[in-house]
Amino acid sequence: MTGLRWGILATGGIAGAFASDLRTAGRDLVAVGSRSQESADAFAARFEIPRAHASYEALVADPDVDIVYVSTPHPMHHENARLALEAGKHVLVEKAFTLNRSEAEDLQRLGAERGLLVMEAMWSRYLPHMIRIREIIAAGTLGEIRAVSADHTQLLPSDPEHRLNALELGGGALLDLGIYPISFVWDILGAPTTVKAVGRLIETGADAEVATVMTHRTGAVSTTLSSSRGAGPNAASIVGTEARIDIDRVWYSPTTFRVTLPDGTVVEEFASDEVAGRGMEYQALAAERYIADGSLDSDVLPVAESVAIMGTLDEIRAQIGVRYPSEEADNG
């Protein structure tokens, strides 16, 4: 144990998944904050959390909280993470990191000024199979990587009033689903040098499908697809000159993959058998490690990369015609 004490800001579904995995991993979860005492009390009872706060301000002011997991909808990430940082708390901010690059840069700057960890909760990057994939790539097993592809496609509620379709809540396939394959492509190939995106918007103005084709520094090509209107294979592949990796459904959760030579010979098979929960505890363990060793930044997903990825998402949105109401307000 590092002695870090966790507080959870908001009590929605993703907060429950994270709290469950914290408990599975034996982490020290001491407080939860909600906009209502009733919601905070119910969440605290469910996960045996000692203190339940009726406001986010009370949560970040709790002297027994060292690090805050921010799990509100996308447009609130910046405000809520900033609240915690100004109170002297480290933050793990649910993905997508913020609504846009400008907000992400502000959190990066504030974290650096305060000497605090600011980390995006892209939990899939910390899973055992992703750690092994990076080792394989670093060893040169795949040769020169030429192509990467990934999809994140789910059949989600179509109700225009639902958060996922509400533009004012950052709704749409891109920030909820597309962030996974976009971040995956960045992880494998680095920053794109060109971005081409197409999408389909629904009646609320939110994106229901988004597809991208990007090129990267080495000339490699990546493709991604996200959709909230149908469940696809949710698989991913990394194609190199010497071998390829095929990651099975669901590629962004604990799963299996194979390393296959051009002649079809499978030279490695990997299974994530050791993962007890959903797998969100790995990012929490990493966050605790970065704070304990004083690095205050992720070696798997540095905050600067989270900021740059938000810039890529901004470019994609510009190409498909998605703009959030708060951005309109910011520009008068």
Side-chain angles (χ1 to χ4, degrees):
M1 293 289 289
T2 62
L4 284 181
R5 298 161 297 181
W6 287 85
I8 294 184
L9 191 151
T11 57
I14 195 69
F18 184 68
S20 178
D21 280 359
L22 281 183
R23 285 294 185 227
T24 297
R27 299 298 94 189
D28 196 4
L29 177 53
V30 301
V32 61
S34 179
R35 290 175 296 182
S36 76
Q37 190 67 60
E38 181 182 11
S39 178
D41 287 342
F43 194 91
R46 180 181 170 196
F47 295 105
E48 300 180 338
I49 301 172
R51 285 184 299 287
H53 298 288
S55 71
Y56 301 152
E57 290 80 5
L59 172 69
V60 302
D62 189 326
D64 290 330
V65 171
D66 301 309
I67 181 168
V68 172
Y69 170 63
V70 175
S71 64
T72 44
H74 310 305
M76 293 78 170
H77 287 179
H78 174 246
E79 176 187 353
N80 297 151
R82 191 168 235 288
L83 184 72
L85 290 168
E86 288 174 340
K89 312 300 185 184
H90 304 283
V91 291
L92 176 64
V93 185
E94 187 50 48
K95 46 83 194 121
F97 189 44
T98 52
L99 206 59
N100 53 44
R101 178 167 183 148
S102 176
E103 291 182 350
E105 288 174 335
D106 183 59
L107 293 184
Q108 179 188 23
R109 182 169 51 249
L110 183 57
E113 289 173 359
R114 299 298 177 94
L116 296 166
L117 175 75
V118 179
M119 178 174 149
E120 182 181 8
M122 179 49 68
W123 59 284
S124 58
R125 285 213 186 188
Y126 299 86
L127 294 173
H129 73 282
M130 287 305 306
I131 300 297
R132 178 57 188 147
I133 285 170
R134 289 190 206 95
E135 292 172 348
I136 291 168
I137 292 171
T141 304
L142 303 189
E144 185 181 354
I145 297 175
R146 303 309 311 150
V148 174
S149 64
D151 79 307
H152 190 177
T153 50
Q154 296 189 36
L155 182 59
L156 299 176
S158 59
D159 180 0
E161 301 297 320
H162 195 282
R163 177 192 71 80
L164 293 167
N165 303 309
L167 210 56
E168 66 274 15
L169 294 178
L174 185 64
L175 291 196
D176 266 280
L177 306 178
I179 179 61
Y180 283 87
I182 297 295
S183 185
F184 174 72
V185 164
W186 266 81
D187 192 9
I188 305 303
L189 294 175
T193 52
T194 65
V195 178
K196 301 294 182 184
V198 294
R200 182 180 71 87
L201 308 187
I202 58 174
E203 64 271 23
T204 65
D207 50 289
E209 282 90 28
V210 181
T212 69
V213 177
M214 299 186 284
T215 58
H216 300 263
R217 181 184 55 80
T218 61
V221 175
S222 66
T223 59
T224 75
L225 172 65
S226 55
S227 174
S228 60
R229 290 295 184 269
N234 288 313
S237 65
I238 305 167
V239 179
T241 54
E242 301 297 327
R244 74 174 190 272
I245 294 175
D246 297 306
I247 314 175
D248 298 317
R249 179 181 180 90
V250 174
W251 70 264
Y252 49 83
S253 294
T255 189
T256 55
F257 71 78
R258 290 163 308 289
V259 181
T260 306
L261 301 181
D263 65 3
T265 303
V266 176
V267 295
E268 179 173 336
E269 294 186 72
F270 181 93
S272 301
D273 297 331
E274 69 274 29
V275 180
R278 188 173 189 239
M280 298 182 78
E281 70 272 20
Y282 291 98
Q283 64 181 346
L285 293 169
E288 292 194 7
R289 186 168 65 250
Y290 303 139
I291 294 168
D293 67 19
S295 61
L296 297 177
D297 200 6
S298 171
D299 58 352
V300 172
L301 179 54
V303 66
E305 187 172 334
S306 290
V307 170
I309 289 171
M310 290 312 305
T312 297
L313 297 183
D314 287 351
E315 173 61 25
I316 292 168
R317 287 196 295 115
Q319 291 188 25
I320 66 175
V322 172
R323 191 168 177 82
Y324 302 118
S326 63
E327 293 174 318
E328 302 288 354
D330 289 342
N331 291 334

